[in-house]
Amino acid sequence: TSDWVIDAMRRDFTINTLLLDLRGQIYDPLRTGIVDIEQKRVRFVGDPAQRLREDVLRILRFFRFHAQIGAETWDGDGLAACRAMAPFLNTLSRERITQEFFKILMLPAGPATLE
């Protein structure tokens, strides 16, 4: 893409909006990804409900990234959107759910996150 901000706005989480050029320079087009990584915070890009309507698997990814970065607090808006959209998890294939669930369980903080 030629517009990194537009590309970043399509991503699921702010920490996934970071880009790297061929010289190794890191870009943070939304100016939130680096801060969120430093603060161990998982937040959706834009409206969490909209991100989840685009792909409900992002619910499980929200929990996996939370466990992966060792976050200690939850983003309230993101968690509320996950709760609201949870009934739609049954629209996903069992394979996709199982794969993501096992990725969470494999992380050191996975069991605590699922609790």
Side-chain angles (χ1 to χ4, degrees):
T1 180
S2 60
D3 190 327
W4 287 1
V5 173
I6 290 173
D7 180 69
M9 292 301 296
R10 290 191 299 253
R11 308 260 174 191
D12 49 6
F13 306 110
T14 58
I15 60 177
N16 286 341
T17 63
L18 300 177
L19 302 163
L20 184 72
D21 70 14
L22 296 174
R23 295 180 304 255
Q25 178 70 37
I26 296 173
Y27 294 93
D28 188 357
L30 302 182
R31 300 173 197 236
T32 56
I34 291 173
V35 171
D36 284 345
I37 287 173
E38 289 171 345
Q39 295 182 1
K40 296 184 177 184
R41 181 173 49 207
V42 180
R43 290 189 309 146
F44 286 95
V45 172
D47 177 35
Q50 175 61 36
R51 293 282 83 83
L52 294 174
R53 281 191 294 274
E54 294 166 357
D55 185 359
V56 75
L57 184 67
R58 289 174 171 166
I59 292 173
L60 298 175
R61 289 174 47 83
F62 178 76
F63 289 95
R64 176 166 56 94
F65 278 83
H66 191 275
Q68 192 167 6
I69 68 169
E72 295 179 8
T73 59
W74 294 93
D75 174 63
D77 292 338
L79 193 56
C82 288
R83 283 186 179 129
M85 295 295 291
F88 296 97
L89 282 169
N90 67 3
T91 64
L92 297 172
S93 72
R94 288 182 189 203
E95 179 182 44
R96 289 182 78 198
I97 293 170
T98 301
Q99 287 174 350
E100 200 63 39
F101 190 75
F102 281 131
K103 288 178 186 179
I104 296 169
L105 284 176
M106 299 295 291
L107 295 166
T113 297
L114 292 175
E115 234 178 77

